[in-house]
Amino acid sequence: MRLCVSRPLIFLQEVEFALGPFAVTDQREEDVDFSMAVMTDNQAIITKRPTLQGDMGGFLRPFTLQVWLLVLLSMVSVATATVALVAGEARVFGHKSVLHVSRACIFVLTTLTQESSEWMPQHDAGRVLVTTWLLAALVFMSSYGGILTAMLTVPRVIIPIDSLADLVAQDDLPWRLESGAMMLTYLQESEDSVRQKAFYSMSGTIPDCWTARTGLVDGQFAAVCDETTMKKTISWDFSTSGECHLYITREKVYSNLMVSLAFQTNSFLLDDANDIISRLREAGILVHWLSAQISNTTACLKPPSADRSNGIEPLPLSSLLGTMFLLIAGWCVGLFVFVGENVLVTLCPPPSMT
């Protein structure tokens, strides 16, 4: 009797059984007999761990684009309504209107940013409109400030690959599948376009994630593997480097996959093997062996947003670059308008200067 870890040798009846353990599928059960389940496992994607990144546009993220557009529309509407209402009240009460469109826009903008304003409509209708806008601006800016503070407190991590759809939609990182694994057949025969693309667009195969662990840590490619092997790879990486370089996606490519030992059909060893596996499971020995292989994974299984040192940290420059660029853009626009005004005055001087 010989032991082997290669499934094809069982088909050729060169060995009595193979340790594997192997995923149990309908196709494989036509050729071999499987023992009772050693354990159940999931298939997922393992890739380079995302890192904390600065976000230049972070000051815009407290609200969606739709909210920002509605705020802009509200500002234009309030400014237009204020000008029209003040002009109408001036005609009703018989005095001259002193509110211009530019001044109304400045008023709406300054009140939105919680700045004081000396101007106030002379009559009740205009004051009701202004008061309503002040209350709306107070709620909006209070919400914005609270959400922005929370977002700056919690580090932002962009996870480019967190599902099979994300994997096949990007071109920056190639991916590989385990050779001889059931996942090859599963993806190839699937009628889902995403799964088919995962098979036909892969960059090659690997023996398993453990054998290819160096390439995974270096970020050369991603892979679809069983979670047990991935956790063992993460454990090795953390034990050798003291850092977390790998990430397991939250979406499972295949869930609750039963893995077992493979035997020749009608093997006389199958009943004894099932009895041994049952005893090992009941005694908790299998769980103990498995836990010993995947120790040092707790820190690396946390979400990437948890990858920060303890205590309060100062905000990096990257978190404020967006507002600085906005300030620089404002300066440039102001300078452009100033130069334009000087050119216009030089070419077409007002009557008082001629």
Side-chain angles (χ1 to χ4, degrees):
M1 180 179 65
R2 292 181 293 168
L3 303 183
C4 183
V5 295
S6 178
R7 183 171 59 87
L9 294 182
I10 301 179
F11 299 156
L12 300 176
Q13 297 186 349
E14 295 183 6
V15 296
E16 288 292 338
F17 69 95
L19 294 176
F22 300 104
V24 179
T25 64
D26 294 338
Q27 291 180 336
R28 291 177 176 178
E29 286 186 314
E30 295 176 357
D31 300 306
V32 300
D33 287 340
F34 287 100
S35 67
M36 67 180 300
V38 177
M39 61 179 181
T40 58
D41 209 343
N42 301 315
Q43 294 279 334
I45 304 169
I46 185 169
T47 182
K48 187 74 173 179
R49 188 174 182 85
T51 57
L52 298 175
Q53 299 175 348
D55 189 2
M56 291 178 54
F59 68 99
L60 297 174
R61 299 195 184 278
F63 298 117
T64 62
L65 177 61
Q66 182 181 14
V67 175
W68 284 116
L69 292 176
L70 289 175
V71 171
L72 179 61
L73 179 61
S74 299
M75 293 174 61
V76 174
S77 300
V78 171
T80 304
T82 302
V83 173
L85 191 58
V86 170
E89 288 184 321
R91 289 193 300 269
V92 171
F93 291 96
H95 59 77
K96 183 178 180 181
S97 174
V98 294
L99 180 63
H100 302 287
V101 175
S102 59
R103 186 173 180 180
C105 294
I106 296 296
F107 167 78
V108 170
L109 180 61
T110 54
T111 52
L112 178 66
T113 56
Q114 304 297 293
E115 297 182 26
S116 61
S117 176
E118 298 179 355
W119 178 83
M120 179 63 65
Q122 298 181 9
H123 302 285
D124 294 338
R127 292 182 179 182
V128 170
L129 177 61
V130 168
T131 302
T132 304
W133 171 246
L134 289 174
L135 292 175
L138 175 63
V139 173
F140 177 80
M141 293 306 297
S142 298
S143 302
Y144 174 80
I147 298 174
L148 181 62
T149 301
M151 293 181 66
L152 292 177
T153 302
V154 179
R156 177 178 176 81
V157 179
I158 299 176
I159 302 178
I161 301 174
D162 211 16
S163 65
L164 192 64
D166 294 338
L167 180 67
V168 301
Q170 54 84 42
D171 299 322
D172 298 329
L173 184 66
W175 63 90
R176 300 179 183 179
L177 302 176
E178 291 180 312
S179 60
M182 56 80 56
M183 190 54 57
L184 288 169
T185 304
Y186 170 72
L187 295 177
Q188 183 181 17
E189 296 181 351
S190 174
E191 297 180 357
D192 181 71
S193 60
V194 172
R195 292 185 176 90
Q196 286 187 350
K197 186 175 181 180
F199 175 81
Y200 289 105
S201 299
M202 66 177 176
S203 62
T205 60
I206 55 176
D208 53 69
C209 278
W210 176 250
T211 305
R213 59 188 183 276
T214 303
L216 290 169
V217 170
D218 293 340
Q220 299 176 9
F221 52 84
V224 179
C225 306
D226 61 280
E227 283 192 337
T228 301
T229 305
M230 290 190 289
K231 289 179 180 179
K232 182 178 180 180
T233 303
I234 289 176
S235 175
W236 165 83
D237 174 45
F238 187 77
S239 299
T240 55
S241 66
E243 299 178 354
C244 301
H245 299 109
L246 297 172
Y247 173 71
I248 300 177
T249 58
R250 290 184 297 177
E251 183 189 80
K252 311 304 178 188
V253 180
Y254 199 104
S255 300
N256 299 323
L257 183 65
M258 187 172 68
V259 291
S260 307
L261 307 185
F263 292 79
Q264 286 188 19
T265 305
N266 301 320
S267 173
F268 68 95
L269 298 173
L270 182 58
D271 291 338
D272 292 335
N274 286 335
D275 182 64
I276 294 174
I277 294 173
S278 178
R279 292 174 181 271
L280 291 175
R281 292 183 59 176
E282 292 176 359
I285 296 177
L286 285 178
V287 175
H288 174 73
W289 287 344
L290 182 61
S291 300
Q293 293 295 317
I294 58 175
S295 59
N296 293 334
T297 59
T298 303
C300 297
L301 294 180
K302 294 180 180 179
S305 58
D307 296 346
R308 61 182 302 179
S309 59
N310 297 326
I312 299 175
E313 296 182 352
L315 288 177
L317 177 61
S318 57
S319 299
L320 299 176
L321 278 179
T323 54
M324 291 185 176
F325 282 135
L326 182 63
L327 178 61
I328 294 174
W331 285 346
C332 293
V333 172
L335 179 61
F336 177 78
V337 172
F338 174 74
V339 172
E341 289 176 339
N342 281 271
V343 172
L344 183 61
V345 170
T346 301
L347 297 179
C348 303
S352 60
M353 297 180 61
T354 58

